[in-house]
Amino acid sequence: MAFELPELPYDYEALQPYMSKETLEYHHDKHHKAYVDNGNKLAAEAGMDKLSVEEVVKQSFGKNAGLFNNAAQHYNHIHFWKWMKKGGGGNKLPGALQKAVDSDLGGYDKFKSDFIAAGTTQFGSGWAWVSVKDGKLAISKTPNGENPLVHGASPILGVDVWEHSYYIDYRNARPKYLEAFVDSLINWDHVLELYEKAK
Ligand SMILES: [Fe+2]
């Protein structure tokens, strides 16, 4: 299946003041588009252009770095746009998710500080995650385009900590960006949808 750049699920202004129109224009229209274009070219060269993005990610990991990086970043960004919404974030989680956060991650406050710590301590580019592994939630971080799919887990929430995600709005203040993401941007409905599928 050829990779396609999805439309943003909201206006370019929708996430202001936490994420600017300019950031979304560069991040979606240029960075994500480049992953799609390069991923399609490299998937065709590798004979993997009929596979789903998840399959390309899993099958190229550790074998074809160029294809893996682009396909994984395509997968990560498809969800990243949906992991945010206008008026999102905060500690009002859907019931089933609240229960899992309480039992597996030590409650909302601990989730928040551990998730922000994972993103802050990821050296260089990468992602911080909440994923489901063996039926339980776990927080992790990965470098570059890598994601929990290649570690036998199902990501249900991820935040992009590449500088292209925050440098226009926050300069070098990655923790401030992560705090805004958790407090004001997370679309818990999309997290719940992925959690229900992963369980
Ligand atoms: Fe990104």
Side-chain angles (χ1 to χ4, degrees), residues 104 132-137 195 198-199:
D104 301 345
V132 177
K133 189 168 189 183
D134 304 325
K136 283 192 160 240
L137 299 188
Y195 174 64
K199 265 196 306 177

Side-chain angles (χ1 to χ4, degrees), residues 27 31-32 35 73 77 80-81 126-127 160-162 164-165:
H27 198 175
H31 291 284
H32 190 173
Y35 299 133
Q73 282 290 73
H77 286 82
F80 183 59
W81 310 129
W127 293 74
D160 189 341
V161 299
W162 287 56
H164 66 218
S165 196

Side-chain angles (χ1 to χ4, degrees), residues 47-60:
M48 290 197 205
D49 49 333
K50 299 281 184 284
L51 301 179
S52 68
V53 61
E54 289 86 353
E55 279 306 313
V56 177
V57 169
K58 289 182 198 166
Q59 292 188 25
S60 62

Side-chain angles (χ1 to χ4, degrees), residues 76-150:
N76 296 345
H77 286 82
I78 289 171
H79 291 290
F80 183 59
W81 310 129
K82 296 187 197 168
W83 277 320
M84 300 184 286
K85 70 170 189 180
K86 186 185 181 71
N91 60 2
K92 298 271 180 291
L93 275 58
L97 210 48
Q98 181 69 58
K99 249 180 113 178
V101 166
D102 286 345
S103 63
D104 301 345
L105 301 180
Y108 177 83
D109 292 343
K110 188 163 185 339
F111 145 75
K112 179 178 165 177
S113 66
D114 289 352
F115 186 67
I116 289 175
T120 303
T121 57
Q122 171 52 45
F123 187 76
S125 297
W127 293 74
W129 303 98
V130 177
S131 56
V132 177
K133 189 168 189 183
D134 304 325
K136 283 192 160 240
L137 299 188
I139 291 174
S140 63
K141 60 186 177 185
T142 56
N144 302 312
E146 200 175 298
N147 66 41
L149 279 183
V150 299

